[in-house]
Amino acid sequence: MDGGQIIASVLERQGVRQLYTLCGGHISPILVASKQLGIQIIDVRDEASAVFAADATARMTGIPGVAAVTAGPGLTNTITAVKNAQLAESPVVILGGATATVLEGRGSLQDIDQVALMQPHVKQVFTPRAVRQLVPTLEGAFRIAREGVPGPVFVEAPVDLLYPEATVREWYIDQGGVKEPKNLVGYATRAYLEQHLARQFWGAPGPKAHAPEVIPMMEAGRREVEKVAGWIRGAKRPVFVVGSQTVSVAAEVPAIAGALESIGAPVWLAGGARGLLGREHSLQYRHKRTKALKAADVVVVFGFPLDFRLGYGRSIGSKAKLATVNLGVEALSMNRKPTLGVHAHPGRFITQLAASLDGVDAGRWQPWFGELSEREDARNAEIVEQGKAELDGVNPIDLFLQLEELMAEDSVLVVDGGDFVATAAYIVRPRKPLSWLDPGVFGTLGVGGGFAVASCAVRPEAEVWLIYGDGSSGYSLAEIDTCVRRGLAPIALIGNDGSWQQIARDQVEILGDACGTELRRTAYHTVVEGYGGRGLLLDDPAKIGETLREAQAIAKAGTPVAINVMIGKTDFRKGSLSM
Ligand SMILES: Cc1ncc(C[n+]2csc(CCOP(=O)(O)OP(=O)(O)O)c2C)c(N)n1
Ligand SMILES: [Mg+2]
């Protein structure tokens, strides 16, 4: 077995089904060997997309996503996506090629200090330097990615660990010109290289790959569970905020949803936890979270930091009892000291709470539910009204209200953009758990192509909606080409306002100049045709329904499709600024 085959065997044992990559000589053996083991090789058009795709795969499956990129620029191109995965707490294994071990630091092609480059953005950097180390190193990388607060890890695999020993020997000895030494220097060099080779290949291939280690979900102590359960029993106006960490163990998600239902408190779902309770649920609220938090007497924030999205903790009334539950110790008291910080897996804590609360009388909360529902219904009615406004172009609210009706039960929603996607987030409801993919706290534009590629690969039966701002689509529309080559068929919905609108809105109002924020009403539907997909233009509000349905049919038949929607200006998002 060569190093490429050894790495592939670990991937297979860890349950990896897709390997995202953009090729390079440094990583060829990993790609070829993985393909031979039946792992799908998905070759994208930008290394960032490979890592975004690996991130999305991890979020949907709970198994670390894997991206293999070549040395030097292949790796530097991933940085934004790696940082995004770190902040989204997504377990990703980045396999990076590297120069041959004997050439390190000697000016070979694409040789840079990759360890220093990656260190700040990952949980750990792994640098195997002998073939026998590959299996334990990689298995360690997979474990670290999943353990504690999940996140990305980087494994640097020098090219001479990946090819067969005979090939590497030929590079070093034959091509190195020391096969038949002519003088003392030649003999010394040869001896040095022989010794180096022996160190690298001694004991190879090393141990066989094992099944992934079971990492138990971190539990809270009984006293913490009892304490929060006691608050909930005595609460008049409880509020639960449930964030992405809660759903990090995919297999446990149905049990966690069941536990939330059995507790019966009102729930706001955020980030990757959206869809946890299905399309609609009597416990789930989507609007007026801040109002509810201000009025609540008990607030439990599960797997979500007290960051800008919760007003840095100030959104929660100062008299409320506040529990934060998080895998990260620092997140427990970020910006505000909670009444109780619980260092545990928030999903597990929900099931622990439900067990402890068995038989809580949720009926007592009827007046509170009534108040919340009134506000929720009023906001929904307001949205429907705003959707009726006639604009100069398609009304995005009308578009999403219709999409909400038409979208398949088995859908995945990917969002990448500013105002257009924020509008979508208000209106479109994920149908199931683990079917909503947004960048996360880093707010990175450009995730869309990679996320959509992964969604189609991981859920081949699903209808994948890629909701793009026109500005954002420019980063990754080239992944339509990847989709065509790999038989993946997302539906891209591009909100074309000829603007980086979310930025333009405030820049113009505060500074009086739109410079740097203007785009053209580009023919993105033609662009995707060039890549081999189908493009539809939607500029007539009367044709929203038929165009959405046409796109669904095209995607169902296996062709990726983009709808270029000429949207009109609304003030729906006025006044919302995230800093
Ligand atoms: C990589 C990156 N660059 C810049 C930004 C800043 N930014 C946030 S929203 C936005 C505008 C997005 O424009 P578009 O995708 O067209 O959506 P719109 O707001 O127009 O609906 C920008 C530039 C960012 N979040 N990420
Ligand atoms: Mg725009």
Side-chain angles (χ1 to χ4, degrees), residues 137-419:
T137 305
L138 254 121
E139 289 180 346
F142 272 87
R143 193 191 69 242
I144 296 286
R146 287 157 60 221
E147 214 172 52
V149 178
V153 295
F154 173 53
V155 183
E156 184 188 60
V159 64
D160 49 344
L161 293 196
L162 302 181
Y163 281 85
E165 183 173 356
T167 309
V168 178
R169 174 166 289 278
E170 204 179 299
W171 291 341
Y172 278 12
I173 308 291
D174 296 22
Q175 293 170 25
V178 293
K179 195 171 180 194
E180 281 152 16
K182 299 206 170 40
N183 53 27
L184 208 57
V185 175
Y187 277 106
T189 311
R190 181 178 173 144
Y192 170 76
L193 290 174
E194 287 285 2
Q195 202 182 26
H196 190 86
L197 280 168
R199 262 201 308 272
Q200 263 177 290
F201 288 99
W202 179 82
K208 267 205 166 102
H210 309 88
E213 275 173 63
V214 177
I215 301 175
M217 287 161 92
M218 199 195 306
E219 294 209 343
R222 206 167 52 86
R223 294 216 343 239
E224 290 167 313
V225 177
E226 286 308 318
K227 186 157 187 175
V228 179
W231 295 353
I232 294 171
R233 266 193 213 94
K236 289 201 176 65
R237 296 177 305 282
V239 166
F240 283 5
V241 178
V242 176
S244 310
Q245 250 184 24
T246 314
V247 296
S248 73
V249 182
E252 292 296 320
V253 165
I256 294 163
L260 272 179
E261 285 182 319
S262 108
I263 298 170
V267 179
W268 273 259
L269 301 170
R274 280 164 178 264
L276 178 58
L277 295 174
R279 182 179 180 184
E280 270 169 299
H281 196 283
S282 58
L283 300 180
Q284 190 195 340
Y285 291 89
R286 300 159 42 82
H287 306 305
K288 305 289 176 196
R289 182 172 71 191
T290 305
K291 264 218 154 80
L293 287 171
K294 271 274 173 274
D297 58 354
V298 172
V299 176
V300 190
V301 180
F302 298 93
F304 198 77
L306 302 176
D307 64 10
F308 64 94
R309 293 165 296 180
L310 293 178
Y312 301 95
R314 290 190 307 270
S315 300
I316 299 154
S318 56
K319 296 210 181 76
K321 291 195 181 83
L322 167 64
T324 53
V325 191
N326 209 289
L327 285 168
V329 178
E330 279 160 29
L332 292 175
S333 50
M334 184 175 175
N335 296 314
R336 171 171 171 171
K337 200 169 161 9
T339 323
L340 180 70
V342 182
H343 187 209
H345 192 289
R348 173 62 83 217
F349 191 67
I350 289 172
T351 56
Q352 289 183 281
L353 267 183
S356 164
L357 280 167
D358 189 27
V360 68
D361 173 22
R364 290 184 303 113
W365 299 329
Q366 272 326 312
W368 177 228
F369 274 107
E371 192 184 311
L372 297 173
S373 299
E374 205 170 294
R375 282 202 286 267
E376 181 89 357
D377 295 345
R379 182 66 182 125
N380 280 329
E382 208 173 273
I383 291 172
V384 170
E385 266 325 292
Q386 285 169 314
K388 289 182 186 150
E390 277 197 32
L391 308 177
D392 178 18
V394 172
N395 182 333
I397 300 165
D398 186 17
L399 173 73
F400 290 126
L401 286 168
Q402 297 200 39
L403 174 61
E404 170 54 25
E405 292 308 316
L406 286 174
M407 215 171 78
E409 271 317 296
D410 189 6
S411 286
V412 178
L413 288 157
V414 172
V415 295
D416 182 8
D419 276 2

Side-chain angles (χ1 to χ4, degrees), residues 469-471 495 497-501 519:
D470 54 344
D497 52 9
S499 164
W500 300 92
Q501 181 56 28
L519 293 164

Side-chain angles (χ1 to χ4, degrees), residues 396-552:
I397 300 165
D398 186 17
L399 173 73
F400 290 126
L401 286 168
Q402 297 200 39
L403 174 61
E404 170 54 25
E405 292 308 316
L406 286 174
M407 215 171 78
E409 271 317 296
D410 189 6
S411 286
V412 178
L413 288 157
V414 172
V415 295
D416 182 8
D419 276 2
F420 185 63
V421 311
T423 304
Y426 248 83
I427 299 167
V428 182
R429 303 165 186 223
R431 278 24 182 177
K432 293 179 185 174
L434 306 176
S435 60
W436 171 272
L437 293 164
D438 61 29
V441 268
F442 204 33
T444 316
L445 301 183
V447 299
F451 278 14
V453 160
S455 303
C456 294
V458 170
R459 305 251 176 91
E461 303 304 320
E463 189 173 282
V464 175
W465 289 91
L466 166 50
I467 301 175
Y468 258 147
D470 54 344
S472 302
S473 73
Y475 289 92
S476 68
L477 209 53
E479 298 309 339
I480 293 288
D481 171 88
T482 305
C483 293
V484 171
R485 282 180 291 108
R486 292 287 152 245
L488 310 170
I491 307 169
L493 190 60
I494 304 174
N496 194 332
D497 52 9
S499 164
W500 300 92
Q501 181 56 28
Q502 183 176 317
I503 305 305
R505 211 167 10 95
D506 294 306
Q507 185 175 312
V508 171
E509 190 166 317
I510 301 169
L511 302 168
D513 193 331
C515 69
T517 68
E518 291 161 317
L519 293 164
R520 291 189 316 114
R521 297 265 189 169
T522 298
Y524 298 104
H525 56 296
T526 312
V527 175
V528 297
E529 297 262 343
Y531 282 124
R534 281 285 306 278
L536 306 174
L537 175 66
L538 172 56
D539 54 4
D540 178 356
K543 294 197 171 148
I544 294 175
E546 71 183 75
T547 310
L548 293 177
R549 276 191 291 269
E550 188 183 352
Q552 285 175 310

